[in-house]
Amino acid sequence: MSVEENTLAVAVNIGSLIDSHPGIHGGTPLIAGTGVTVRRIAIWHNAGHSIEEIAHEIGHLNLAQVYAALTHY
């Protein structure tokens, strides 16, 4: 069985991946459960970093979180 055949697709509400709190970064949108701002992800992506590179560099993020941040932005 190939990796593609063994992969399970899971639907995720991307709205649940983005959050904000008035006391953290002035209420700017964050990746939920982290201190990473959506703006930080957008800056890195606009600077030429791929989604995979961003997820790798910010090791506690997964691809879905990075995609959600870019979609929100």
Side-chain angles (χ1 to χ4, degrees):
M1 183 179 293
S2 72
V3 173
E4 292 80 21
E5 293 171 335
N6 198 24
T7 301
L8 176 65
V10 177
V12 175
N13 176 356
I14 65 169
S16 68
L17 298 175
I18 305 299
D19 203 1
S20 65
H21 298 282
I24 301 174
H25 293 289
T28 61
L30 304 167
I31 296 178
T34 75
V36 180
T37 63
V38 167
R39 184 174 184 269
R40 178 178 173 191
I41 299 300
I43 288 170
W44 282 32
H45 192 257
N46 290 337
H49 295 279
S50 71
I51 291 166
E52 291 81 7
E53 289 172 327
I54 295 168
H56 177 71
E57 289 297 319
I58 307 173
H60 62 280
L61 298 184
N62 60 46
L63 293 175
Q65 291 169 308
V66 177
Y67 275 109
L70 292 173
T71 300
H72 182 80
Y73 186 76

Coordinates of all heavy atoms in Angstrom, one line a residue:
M1 N 0.9 -1.2 0.0 CA 0.0 0.0 0.0 C 0.9 1.2 0.0 O 1.8 1.3 0.8 CB -0.9 0.0 1.3 CG -1.9 1.1 1.3 SD -2.9 1.1 2.8 CE -3.9 -0.4 2.4
S2 N 0.6 2.2 -0.9 CA 1.4 3.4 -1.0 C 1.0 4.4 0.1 O 0.0 4.2 0.8 CB 1.2 4.1 -2.3 OG -0.1 4.7 -2.4
V3 N 1.9 5.4 0.3 CA 1.6 6.4 1.4 C 0.3 7.1 1.1 O -0.5 7.3 1.9 CB 2.8 7.4 1.5 CG1 2.4 8.5 2.4 CG2 4.0 6.7 1.9
E4 N 0.1 7.4 -0.2 CA -1.1 8.1 -0.6 C -2.4 7.3 -0.3 O -3.4 7.8 0.1 CB -1.1 8.4 -2.1 CG -0.1 9.5 -2.5 CD 1.3 8.9 -2.7 OE1 1.5 7.7 -2.8 OE2 2.3 9.7 -2.6
E5 N -2.3 6.0 -0.5 CA -3.5 5.1 -0.2 C -3.7 5.0 1.3 O -4.8 4.7 1.7 CB -3.3 3.7 -0.8 CG -3.2 3.7 -2.3 CD -2.8 2.4 -2.9 OE1 -2.1 1.6 -2.2 OE2 -3.2 2.1 -4.0
N6 N -2.7 5.2 2.1 CA -2.8 5.0 3.5 C -3.0 6.3 4.3 O -3.0 6.4 5.5 CB -1.5 4.3 4.1 CG -1.7 3.7 5.4 OD1 -2.8 3.4 5.8 ND2 -0.6 3.6 6.1
T7 N -3.2 7.4 3.6 CA -3.4 8.7 4.2 C -4.9 8.9 4.4 O -5.7 8.7 3.6 CB -2.9 9.8 3.2 OG1 -1.5 9.6 3.0 CG2 -3.0 11.2 3.9
L8 N -5.2 9.4 5.6 CA -6.6 9.7 6.0 C -6.8 11.2 5.9 O -6.1 12.0 6.5 CB -6.8 9.3 7.5 CG -8.1 9.6 8.1 CD1 -9.2 8.8 7.3 CD2 -8.2 9.2 9.5
A9 N -7.8 11.6 5.1 CA -8.2 13.0 5.0 C -9.1 13.3 6.1 O -10.1 12.6 6.4 CB -8.8 13.2 3.7
V10 N -8.9 14.5 6.8 CA -9.7 14.9 7.9 C -10.2 16.3 7.6 O -9.4 17.2 7.3 CB -8.9 14.9 9.2 CG1 -9.7 15.4 10.3 CG2 -8.4 13.5 9.5
A11 N -11.4 16.5 7.7 CA -12.0 17.9 7.5 C -11.8 18.7 8.8 O -12.1 18.2 9.9 CB -13.5 17.8 7.1
V12 N -11.3 19.9 8.6 CA -11.0 20.8 9.8 C -11.7 22.1 9.5 O -11.5 22.7 8.4 CB -9.5 21.0 10.0 CG1 -9.3 22.0 11.1 CG2 -8.9 19.7 10.3
N13 N -12.4 22.7 10.4 CA -12.9 24.0 10.3 C -11.8 25.0 10.5 O -11.3 25.1 11.6 CB -14.0 24.2 11.3 CG -14.6 25.6 11.3 OD1 -14.1 26.5 10.6 ND2 -15.6 25.8 12.2
I14 N -11.3 25.6 9.4 CA -10.2 26.5 9.6 C -10.4 27.6 10.5 O -9.4 28.2 11.1 CB -9.6 27.0 8.2 CG1 -10.6 27.9 7.5 CG2 -9.1 25.8 7.4 CD1 -10.0 28.6 6.3
G15 N -11.6 28.0 10.7 CA -11.9 29.1 11.7 C -11.5 28.7 13.1 O -11.2 29.5 13.9
S16 N -11.5 27.4 13.4 CA -11.1 26.9 14.7 C -9.6 27.0 14.9 O -9.1 26.9 16.0 CB -11.5 25.5 15.0 OG -10.8 24.6 14.1
L17 N -8.8 27.2 13.8 CA -7.4 27.3 13.9 C -6.8 28.7 14.1 O -5.7 28.9 14.4 CB -6.7 26.7 12.6 CG -7.0 25.2 12.3 CD1 -6.5 24.8 11.0 CD2 -6.5 24.4 13.4
I18 N -7.7 29.7 14.0 CA -7.3 31.1 14.2 C -8.1 31.6 15.4 O -9.3 31.4 15.6 CB -7.7 31.9 13.0 CG1 -7.0 31.3 11.7 CG2 -7.3 33.4 13.2 CD1 -5.5 31.3 11.8
D19 N -7.4 32.4 16.3 CA -8.0 32.9 17.5 C -7.4 34.3 17.8 O -6.5 34.7 17.1 CB -7.7 32.0 18.6 CG -8.6 32.1 19.8 OD1 -9.6 32.8 19.8 OD2 -8.4 31.4 20.8
S20 N -8.0 35.0 18.7 CA -7.4 36.3 19.1 C -7.9 36.5 20.6 O -9.0 36.1 21.0 CB -7.9 37.4 18.2 OG -9.2 37.7 18.3
H21 N -7.0 37.2 21.3 CA -7.3 37.5 22.7 C -6.8 39.0 22.9 O -5.7 39.3 22.5 CB -6.5 36.6 23.6 CG -6.9 35.2 23.5 ND1 -8.1 34.7 24.1 CD2 -6.4 34.1 22.9 CE1 -8.2 33.4 23.8 NE2 -7.2 33.0 23.1
P22 N -7.6 39.8 23.5 CA -7.2 41.2 23.7 C -5.9 41.4 24.4 O -5.1 42.3 24.1 CB -8.3 41.8 24.5 CG -9.5 40.9 24.3 CD -8.9 39.6 24.0
G23 N -5.5 40.5 25.3 CA -4.3 40.7 26.1 C -3.1 40.1 25.4 O -2.0 40.2 26.0
I24 N -3.2 39.5 24.2 CA -2.1 38.8 23.6 C -1.9 39.5 22.2 O -2.8 39.5 21.4 CB -2.3 37.3 23.4 CG1 -2.5 36.6 24.7 CG2 -1.1 36.7 22.6 CD1 -2.9 35.2 24.7
H25 N -0.7 40.1 22.0 CA -0.4 40.8 20.8 C -1.5 41.8 20.4 O -1.8 42.0 19.2 CB -0.2 39.8 19.6 CG 1.1 39.0 19.8 ND1 2.3 39.5 19.7 CD2 1.2 37.7 20.1 CE1 3.2 38.5 19.9 NE2 2.5 37.4 20.1
G26 N -2.1 42.5 21.4 CA -3.1 43.5 21.1 C -4.4 43.0 20.4 O -5.1 43.8 19.8
G27 N -4.6 41.7 20.5 CA -5.8 41.2 19.9 C -5.7 40.8 18.5 O -6.7 40.5 17.8
T28 N -4.5 40.9 17.9 CA -4.3 40.5 16.5 C -4.6 39.0 16.4 O -4.3 38.2 17.3 CB -2.9 40.9 16.0 OG1 -1.9 40.2 16.8 CG2 -2.7 42.4 16.1
P29 N -5.0 38.6 15.2 CA -5.3 37.2 15.0 C -4.0 36.3 15.2 O -2.9 36.7 14.7 CB -5.7 37.1 13.5 CG -6.2 38.5 13.2 CD -5.3 39.4 14.0
L30 N -4.2 35.2 15.9 CA -3.1 34.2 16.2 C -3.5 32.8 15.7 O -4.7 32.5 15.6 CB -2.9 34.1 17.7 CG -2.6 35.4 18.5 CD1 -2.7 35.0 20.0 CD2 -1.2 35.9 18.2
I31 N -2.5 32.0 15.5 CA -2.8 30.6 15.3 C -3.2 30.1 16.7 O -2.4 30.3 17.7 CB -1.6 29.9 14.7 CG1 -1.3 30.4 13.3 CG2 -1.8 28.4 14.7 CD1 -0.1 29.8 12.6
A32 N -4.4 29.5 16.8 CA -4.9 29.1 18.1 C -4.0 28.2 18.9 O -3.3 27.3 18.3 CB -6.3 28.3 17.8
G33 N -3.9 28.5 20.1 CA -3.0 27.8 21.0 C -1.5 28.1 21.0 O -0.7 27.5 21.6
T34 N -1.2 29.1 20.2 CA 0.2 29.5 20.0 C 0.3 31.0 20.2 O -0.7 31.7 20.3 CB 0.8 29.2 18.6 OG1 0.2 30.1 17.7 CG2 0.4 27.7 18.2
G35 N 1.5 31.5 20.2 CA 1.7 33.0 20.2 C 2.0 33.5 18.8 O 2.5 34.6 18.7
V36 N 1.9 32.7 17.8 CA 2.3 33.0 16.4 C 1.2 33.8 15.8 O 0.1 33.3 15.7 CB 2.6 31.7 15.6 CG1 3.0 32.1 14.2 CG2 3.7 30.9 16.3
T37 N 1.5 35.0 15.3 CA 0.5 35.8 14.7 C 0.3 35.4 13.2 O 1.2 34.9 12.5 CB 0.8 37.3 14.7 OG1 2.0 37.5 14.0 CG2 1.0 37.8 16.2
V38 N -0.9 35.6 12.7 CA -1.2 35.4 11.3 C -0.3 36.3 10.5 O 0.2 35.9 9.4 CB -2.7 35.7 11.0 CG1 -3.0 35.9 9.6 CG2 -3.6 34.7 11.7
R39 N -0.1 37.5 11.0 CA 0.8 38.5 10.2 C 2.2 37.9 10.1 O 2.8 38.1 9.0 CB 0.8 39.8 11.0 CG 1.6 40.9 10.3 CD 1.5 42.2 11.1 NE 2.1 43.3 10.4 CZ 3.4 43.6 10.6 NH1 4.1 43.0 11.5 NH2 4.0 44.6 9.9
R40 N 2.7 37.3 11.1 CA 4.1 36.7 11.0 C 4.1 35.7 9.9 O 5.1 35.7 9.1 CB 4.5 36.1 12.3 CG 5.8 35.4 12.3 CD 6.1 34.8 13.7 NE 7.3 34.1 13.7 CZ 7.8 33.3 14.7 NH1 7.0 33.2 15.8 NH2 8.9 32.6 14.6
I41 N 3.1 34.8 9.8 CA 3.1 33.8 8.7 C 3.0 34.5 7.4 O 3.7 34.1 6.4 CB 1.9 32.9 8.9 CG1 2.0 32.1 10.3 CG2 1.7 31.9 7.8 CD1 3.2 31.3 10.5
A42 N 2.1 35.5 7.3 CA 2.0 36.2 6.0 C 3.3 36.9 5.6 O 3.7 36.9 4.4 CB 0.9 37.3 6.1
I43 N 4.0 37.5 6.5 CA 5.3 38.2 6.2 C 6.3 37.2 5.7 O 6.9 37.4 4.7 CB 5.8 38.9 7.4 CG1 5.0 40.2 7.7 CG2 7.3 39.3 7.3 CD1 5.3 40.8 9.0
W44 N 6.4 36.0 6.3 CA 7.3 35.0 5.9 C 6.9 34.5 4.5 O 7.8 34.3 3.6 CB 7.3 33.8 6.8 CG 8.1 34.1 8.1 CD1 8.3 35.2 8.7 CD2 8.9 33.1 8.8 NE1 9.1 35.1 9.8 CE2 9.5 33.8 9.9 CE3 9.0 31.7 8.7 CZ2 10.2 33.1 10.9 CZ3 9.8 31.1 9.7 CH2 10.4 31.7 10.7
H45 N 5.6 34.3 4.3 CA 5.2 33.8 3.0 C 5.4 34.8 1.9 O 5.9 34.5 0.8 CB 3.7 33.4 3.0 CG 3.2 32.6 1.8 ND1 2.5 33.2 0.9 CD2 3.4 31.3 1.5 CE1 2.2 32.3 -0.1 NE2 2.8 31.1 0.3
N46 N 5.1 36.1 2.2 CA 5.4 37.1 1.2 C 6.9 37.4 0.9 O 7.2 37.9 -0.2 CB 4.7 38.4 1.6 CG 3.2 38.4 1.6 OD1 2.6 37.6 0.8 ND2 2.6 39.2 2.4
A47 N 7.7 36.9 1.8 CA 9.2 37.0 1.6 C 9.7 35.9 0.8 O 10.9 35.8 0.5 CB 9.9 37.1 3.0
G48 N 8.8 35.0 0.4 CA 9.2 33.9 -0.5 C 9.3 32.5 0.2 O 9.7 31.6 -0.5
H49 N 9.0 32.4 1.5 CA 9.1 31.1 2.1 C 7.9 30.3 1.7 O 6.8 30.8 1.7 CB 9.1 31.2 3.6 CG 10.4 31.9 4.1 ND1 11.6 31.3 4.3 CD2 10.6 33.2 4.5 CE1 12.5 32.1 4.7 NE2 11.9 33.3 4.8
S50 N 8.1 29.0 1.5 CA 7.0 28.1 1.1 C 6.2 27.8 2.4 O 6.7 27.9 3.5 CB 7.5 26.8 0.5 OG 8.1 26.0 1.4
I51 N 5.0 27.2 2.2 CA 4.2 26.8 3.4 C 5.0 25.7 4.2 O 5.0 25.7 5.4 CB 2.8 26.4 2.9 CG1 2.1 27.6 2.4 CG2 2.1 25.6 4.0 CD1 0.9 27.3 1.6
E52 N 5.6 24.8 3.4 CA 6.3 23.7 4.1 C 7.5 24.3 4.9 O 7.8 23.8 6.0 CB 6.8 22.7 3.0 CG 5.7 21.9 2.4 CD 5.0 22.7 1.3 OE1 5.4 23.8 0.9 OE2 3.9 22.1 0.8
E53 N 8.2 25.3 4.3 CA 9.4 25.9 5.0 C 8.9 26.6 6.3 O 9.6 26.5 7.3 CB 10.1 26.9 4.1 CG 10.9 26.3 3.0 CD 11.4 27.4 2.0 OE1 10.7 28.4 1.8 OE2 12.5 27.1 1.5
I54 N 7.8 27.3 6.2 CA 7.3 28.0 7.4 C 6.9 27.0 8.5 O 7.3 27.2 9.7 CB 6.1 28.9 7.1 CG1 6.5 30.0 6.1 CG2 5.4 29.4 8.3 CD1 5.3 30.7 5.4
A55 N 6.2 25.9 8.2 CA 5.9 24.9 9.1 C 7.1 24.2 9.7 O 7.2 23.9 10.9 CB 5.0 23.8 8.5
H56 N 8.2 24.1 8.9 CA 9.4 23.5 9.4 C 10.2 24.4 10.3 O 10.6 24.0 11.4 CB 10.3 23.1 8.2 CG 11.6 22.5 8.6 ND1 11.8 21.3 9.2 CD2 12.9 23.1 8.5 CE1 13.0 21.1 9.5 NE2 13.7 22.1 9.1
E57 N 10.2 25.7 10.0 CA 11.0 26.7 10.8 C 10.3 27.0 12.1 O 10.9 27.2 13.1 CB 11.2 28.0 10.0 CG 12.1 27.9 8.9 CD 13.5 27.5 9.3 OE1 14.0 28.1 10.3 OE2 14.2 26.7 8.7
I58 N 8.9 27.0 12.1 CA 8.2 27.2 13.3 C 7.7 25.8 13.7 O 6.5 25.4 13.4 CB 7.1 28.2 13.2 CG1 7.6 29.5 12.6 CG2 6.4 28.4 14.5 CD1 6.5 30.5 12.2
G59 N 8.5 25.0 14.2 CA 8.3 23.5 14.4 C 7.1 23.0 15.0 O 6.6 21.9 14.8
H60 N 6.4 23.9 15.9 CA 5.2 23.4 16.5 C 4.0 23.7 15.7 O 2.9 23.3 16.1 CB 5.1 24.0 17.9 CG 5.0 25.5 17.9 ND1 6.1 26.4 17.8 CD2 3.9 26.4 18.0 CE1 5.7 27.6 17.8 NE2 4.4 27.7 18.0
L61 N 4.1 24.2 14.5 CA 3.0 24.4 13.6 C 2.9 23.3 12.6 O 3.9 22.8 12.1 CB 3.1 25.7 12.8 CG 3.1 27.0 13.7 CD1 3.2 28.2 12.7 CD2 1.9 27.1 14.6
N62 N 1.7 23.0 12.2 CA 1.5 22.0 11.1 C 1.1 22.7 9.8 O 0.8 23.9 9.9 CB 0.6 20.9 11.5 CG -0.8 21.4 11.8 OD1 -1.4 22.2 11.1 ND2 -1.4 20.9 12.9
L63 N 1.0 22.0 8.7 CA 0.6 22.6 7.5 C -0.8 23.2 7.5 O -1.0 24.3 6.9 CB 0.7 21.6 6.3 CG 2.1 21.1 6.0 CD1 2.1 20.1 4.9 CD2 3.0 22.3 5.5
A64 N -1.7 22.6 8.1 CA -3.1 23.1 8.2 C -3.1 24.4 8.9 O -3.8 25.4 8.5 CB -4.0 22.1 8.9
Q65 N -2.3 24.6 10.0 CA -2.3 25.9 10.7 C -1.7 27.0 9.8 O -2.2 28.1 9.8 CB -1.5 25.8 12.0 CG -2.1 24.9 13.0 CD -1.2 24.6 14.1 OE1 -0.1 24.1 13.9 NE2 -1.6 24.8 15.4
V66 N -0.7 26.7 9.0 CA -0.1 27.7 8.2 C -1.0 28.1 7.0 O -1.2 29.2 6.7 CB 1.3 27.2 7.6 CG1 1.9 28.2 6.6 CG2 2.3 26.9 8.7
Y67 N -1.7 27.1 6.4 CA -2.7 27.3 5.4 C -3.8 28.2 6.0 O -4.3 29.1 5.3 CB -3.3 26.0 4.8 CG -2.4 25.5 3.7 CD1 -1.7 24.3 3.9 CD2 -2.4 26.0 2.4 CE1 -1.0 23.7 2.9 CE2 -1.7 25.5 1.4 CZ -1.0 24.3 1.6 OH -0.2 23.8 0.6
A68 N -4.3 27.9 7.2 CA -5.4 28.6 7.8 C -5.0 30.1 8.0 O -5.8 31.0 7.8 CB -5.8 28.0 9.1
A69 N -3.7 30.3 8.4 CA -3.3 31.7 8.7 C -3.2 32.4 7.4 O -3.7 33.6 7.3 CB -1.9 31.7 9.3
L70 N -2.8 31.8 6.3 CA -2.7 32.5 5.0 C -4.1 32.7 4.4 O -4.4 33.8 3.8 CB -1.8 31.7 4.0 CG -0.4 31.7 4.4 CD1 0.4 30.7 3.5 CD2 0.2 33.1 4.3
T71 N -5.0 31.8 4.7 CA -6.4 32.0 4.2 C -7.1 33.1 5.0 O -7.8 33.9 4.4 CB -7.2 30.7 4.4 OG1 -6.5 29.6 3.6 CG2 -8.6 30.8 4.0
H72 N -6.8 33.2 6.3 CA -7.4 34.3 7.1 C -6.8 35.6 6.7 O -7.5 36.6 6.7 CB -7.1 34.0 8.6 CG -7.7 35.0 9.5 ND1 -9.0 35.0 9.9 CD2 -7.1 36.1 10.1 CE1 -9.2 36.0 10.6 NE2 -8.1 36.7 10.8
Y73 N -5.6 35.7 6.4 CA -4.9 36.9 6.0 C -5.5 37.5 4.8 O -5.8 38.7 4.7 CB -3.4 36.7 5.8 CG -2.6 37.9 5.6 CD1 -2.3 38.8 6.7 CD2 -2.2 38.3 4.3 CE1 -1.6 39.9 6.5 CE2 -1.4 39.5 4.1 CZ -1.1 40.3 5.2 OH -0.4 41.4 5.0

